[in-house]
């Protein structure tokens, strides 16, 4: 995985044994003690109490474990709301300096539940969905359909029908086939549907690095040339109204350089297309990065918003065209840092891995079923013991799950106190985005509940699955065969 800006290479400290040192990734810093909750990684409400245990949103991890069990997704409501407001204000202020308006769509794929829809819409965000399921959750959460955007490279006829039926604000078109499909649906329903055209700008960004090529080999959107043809076709169709171009250049992006490059290419096309009519909007997508570990150092969203809006303004000025309003679609930066996953340690063992080296494996009661990102992308996370502090020497550890895969890694490399024992509560921060939404039932593991915390109160916003839930889909299973607890342990 391409890493972000590293603030230091690993200074192999005296606390690292020789047998461990070769296993330390070059970015991981040996801490003096392994108790600190590093600010940009944890929600700002996370703190240690007098007894050394951690609270989040004013709720003790012991209360969370006792009431809801582990593993558990904990989501800090104030943190989500604060990030939503910050994104909204950052883009409003950057756009305002250029005399245009902005719209921030929350990318629901990062984490969607009716409650989260309420939080982000309360804070003034629109919502971006990309399946019928996400659309229905957004509607059930009370989102105004006219403030919804609908994405996807293969939206079905049924999905498009439903989107038009509910009066969706805009559909981001992805292929020539979809243009005809949507036009026919809108015509049949007697409406004019606002559409954007998704463009592959040839800019792909991942964290701090971006690559600008003439072409991109990926499934989404139209090439720059193809997009021009698509817009010509859309303008011929009376049931569609072209409102702007769209591009999404990647994920976990730390600064605005990739966006600037993409904006240059988008504005070039936008300028050409103005010959055929007014274009009110430009959507630059999402992908703004967060700190998963203490060495990730994304630019503040205000800087990124300024960078993007300045780039668009410059490109428009060079071409002598009016600047459009600007939309964006952040997901991770809104919910990522607000989420913490709570686990209980089950086993700890040290494994000889050859050449005199050994690795400590700390096994927890979840894993790749609740956080697929390490297995899918080699993503790095951090971890802390949250039921107590420890003065024991920090020891390089690998946190793993309970699944039948050697790739079932939760945190590849982390310094945990050397005295970690079964029963300790271990928490992984920055799990608010793409963990719940990518969760699976692998090994017939019930998916954990999501609990929102705020002002010392905790409440379930998505209930956990039970063994009964799992058996319910198996037509051969007797419904009465299980007496499962909410967390699925059979009594
Ligand atoms: C089209 C589009 N918009 C927005 C996003 C949100 O990205 P992020 O959560 O990294 O901000 C994605 C993520 O894949 C996407 O594909």
């Amino acid at each position: 995985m391409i890493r972000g800006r590293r603030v230091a290479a690993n200074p192999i400290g005296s606390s690292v044994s020789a047998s461990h040192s070769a296993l330390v990734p070059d970015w991981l810093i040996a801490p003096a003690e392994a108790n600190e909750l590093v600010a940009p990684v944890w929600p700002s409400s996370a703190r240690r109490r007098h007894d050394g245990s951690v609270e989040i949103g004013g709720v003790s991890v012991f209360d969370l474990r006792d009431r809801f069990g582990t593993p558990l997704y904990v989501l800090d409501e104030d943190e989500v709301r604060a990030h939503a407001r910050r994104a909204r204000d950052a883009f409003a202020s950057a756009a305002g300096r250029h005399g245009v308006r902005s719209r921030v769509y929350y990318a629901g794929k990062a984490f969607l539940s009716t409650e989260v829809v309420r939080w982000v819409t309360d804070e003034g965000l629109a919502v971006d969905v990309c399946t019928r399921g996400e659309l229905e959750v957004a509607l059930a959460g009370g989102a105004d359909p006219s403030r919804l955007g609908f994405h996807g490279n293969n939206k079905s006829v049924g999905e498009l029908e439903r989107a038009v039926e509910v009066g969706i604000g805009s559909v981001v078109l992805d292929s020539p086939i979809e243009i005809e499909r949507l036009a026919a649906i809108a015509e049949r329903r007697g409406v004019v549907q606002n559409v954007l055209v998704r463009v592959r700008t040839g800019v792909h960004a991942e964290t701090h690095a971006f690559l600008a090529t003439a072409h991109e080999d990926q499934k989404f959107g139209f090439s720059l040339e193809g997009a021009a043809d698509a817009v010509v076709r859309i303008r011929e169709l009376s049931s569609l109204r072209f409102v702007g171009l769209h591009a999404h250049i990647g994920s976990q992006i730390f600064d605005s350089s990739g966006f600037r490059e993409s904006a240059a290419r988008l504005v070039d096309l936008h300028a050409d297309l103005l010959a055929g009519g007014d274009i009110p909007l430009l959507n630059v997508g999402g992908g703004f990065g967060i700190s998963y570990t203490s060495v990730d150092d994304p630019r503040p969203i205000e800087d990124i918003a300024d960078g993007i809006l300045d780039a668009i303004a410059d490109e428009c000025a060079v071409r002598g065209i009016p600047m459009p309003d600007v939309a964006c679609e952040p997901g991770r930066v809104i919910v990522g840092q607000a989420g913490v996953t709570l686990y209980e340690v089950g086993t700890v063992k040290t494994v000889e891995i050859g050449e005199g080296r050994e690795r400590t494996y700390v096994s927890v009661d979840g894993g790749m079923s609740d956080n697929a990102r390490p297995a899918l992308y080699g993503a790095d996370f951090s971890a802390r013991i949250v039921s107590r502090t420890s003065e024991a020497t920090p020891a390089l550890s690998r946190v793993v799950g309970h699944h039948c895969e050697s790739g079932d890694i939760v945190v590849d490399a982390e310094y945990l106190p050397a005295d970690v024992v079964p029963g300790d509560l271990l928490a992984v921060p920055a799990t608010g985005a793409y963990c719940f939404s990518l969760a699976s039932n692998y090994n017939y593991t019930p998916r954990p509940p999501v609990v929102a915390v705020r002002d010392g109160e905790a409440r379930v916003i998505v209930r956990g699955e039970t063994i009964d839930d799992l058996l319910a889909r198996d037509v051969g299973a007797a419904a009465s065969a299980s007496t499962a607890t909410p967390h699925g342990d059979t009594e």
Side-chain angles (χ1 to χ4, degrees):
M1 180 195 188
I2 302 170
R3 303 281 327 181
R5 248 171 284 180
R6 296 297 182 193
V7 293
N10 171 47
I12 307 287
S14 56
S15 60
V16 185
S17 71
S19 63
H20 275 128
S21 61
L23 305 177
V24 183
D26 61 1
W27 57 269
L28 184 62
I29 300 163
E33 44 92 346
N35 299 313
E36 192 193 352
L37 309 178
V38 179
V41 183
W42 290 76
S44 50
S45 71
R47 56 181 60 92
R48 296 228 178 238
R49 292 183 161 186
H50 290 308
D51 65 357
S53 69
V54 169
E55 65 171 41
I56 305 162
V59 184
S60 143
V61 291
F62 295 125
D63 289 349
L64 291 167
R65 177 201 54 194
D66 294 346
R67 285 182 60 194
F68 310 109
T70 57
L72 182 68
Y73 294 117
V74 182
L75 199 60
D76 182 326
E77 178 176 346
D78 283 338
E79 189 82 25
V80 175
R81 287 178 177 274
H83 286 291
R85 278 196 300 277
R86 198 170 157 188
R88 181 199 66 197
D89 293 348
F91 277 88
S93 139
R97 286 193 298 107
H98 297 289
V100 297
R101 290 172 306 175
S102 63
R103 176 174 285 194
V104 178
Y105 288 83
Y106 167 61
K109 55 183 76 73
F111 181 113
L112 206 64
S113 75
T114 54
E115 192 65 27
V116 168
V117 169
R118 278 189 273 277
W119 300 346
V120 298
T121 53
D122 266 7
E123 301 302 341
L125 303 197
V127 180
D128 151 35
V129 297
C130 65
T131 61
R132 167 87 192 259
E134 288 187 0
L135 173 61
E136 298 301 341
V137 176
L139 294 172
D144 173 355
S146 72
R147 286 173 58 81
L148 294 179
F150 199 175
H151 264 292
N153 65 303
N154 185 18
K155 304 175 210 67
S156 70
V157 171
E159 287 178 314
L160 291 171
E161 286 275 5
R162 178 70 176 145
V164 174
E165 179 192 359
V166 302
I168 196 131
S170 58
V171 175
V172 182
L173 291 170
D174 205 276
S175 66
I177 289 172
E178 196 175 60
I179 296 174
E180 307 304 328
R181 223 176 241 174
L182 183 64
I185 293 168
E187 190 170 347
R188 194 163 7 89
R189 291 185 171 273
V191 298
V192 178
Q193 178 62 55
N194 283 346
V195 297
L196 290 94
V197 167
R198 181 160 178 174
V199 184
R200 295 190 302 274
T201 58
V203 175
H204 185 76
E206 177 109 21
T207 309
H208 66 310
F210 79 84
L211 200 69
T213 60
H215 302 285
E216 265 188 288
D217 186 4
Q218 50 119 322
K219 69 177 182 174
F220 294 108
F222 294 85
S223 65
L224 287 158
E225 304 76 41
D229 294 341
V231 173
V232 169
R233 175 64 184 142
I234 290 165
R235 283 174 163 158
E236 288 168 359
L237 296 161
S238 56
S239 60
L240 301 183
R241 176 175 172 249
F242 173 65
V243 295
L245 297 173
H246 172 286
H248 172 76
I249 62 169
S251 62
Q252 190 55 354
I253 302 166
F254 280 23
D255 66 25
S256 58
S257 48
F259 291 104
R260 297 182 73 93
E261 179 67 36
S262 177
R265 297 177 182 203
L266 276 176
V267 172
D268 222 22
L269 177 58
H270 175 101
D272 288 349
L273 294 172
L274 282 174
D278 178 38
I279 312 173
L281 193 65
L282 189 67
N283 189 326
V284 296
F288 316 138
I290 64 167
S291 299
Y292 282 102
T293 70
S294 58
V295 293
D296 290 332
D297 189 21
R299 301 298 309 153
I301 193 160
E302 292 77 9
D303 289 6
I304 293 183
D306 284 345
I308 292 172
L309 270 291
D310 288 352
I312 295 171
D314 291 350
E315 298 295 338
C316 289
V318 166
R319 290 164 185 81
I321 58 170
M323 187 168 165
D325 290 340
V326 173
C328 64
E329 299 163 349
R332 183 188 321 265
V333 83
I334 309 293
V335 285
Q337 197 192 329
V340 174
T341 310
L342 191 60
Y343 302 98
E344 186 173 296
V345 174
T347 65
V348 181
K349 67 180 170 191
T350 300
V351 175
E352 297 277 347
I353 59 169
E355 297 169 2
R357 296 176 307 164
E358 50 187 33
R359 191 190 291 282
T360 300
Y361 280 86
V362 176
S363 295
V364 296
D365 49 357
M368 64 194 298
S369 58
D370 60 73
N371 186 354
R373 295 193 64 253
L376 265 182
Y377 310 119
D380 288 314
F381 282 88
S382 67
R384 284 287 178 258
I385 296 302
V386 289
S387 40
R388 61 186 173 95
T389 49
S390 168
E391 301 311 312
T393 308
L396 184 70
S397 309
R398 175 172 281 174
V399 181
V400 294
H402 67 156
H403 294 286
C404 299
E405 294 282 339
S406 50
D408 175 27
I409 292 169
V410 179
V411 183
D412 181 54
E414 175 61 292
Y415 285 95
L416 292 175
D419 61 355
V420 173
V421 286
D424 277 336
L425 292 178
L426 180 145
V428 176
T431 56
Y434 304 106
C435 291
F436 166 78
S437 53
L438 282 169
S440 77
N441 290 126
Y442 182 47
N443 292 144
Y444 269 98
T445 302
R447 282 173 292 191
V450 184
V451 166
V453 292
R454 188 186 205 188
D455 296 336
E457 302 288 331
R459 66 201 164 94
V460 174
I461 60 168
V462 181
R463 81 164 170 81
E465 286 172 328
T466 64
I467 294 293
D468 282 342
D469 288 327
L470 301 181
L471 285 171
R473 296 178 62 233
D474 185 324
V475 293
S480 61
S482 169
T483 53
T485 65
H487 245 78
D489 297 329
T490 315
E491 289 177 328

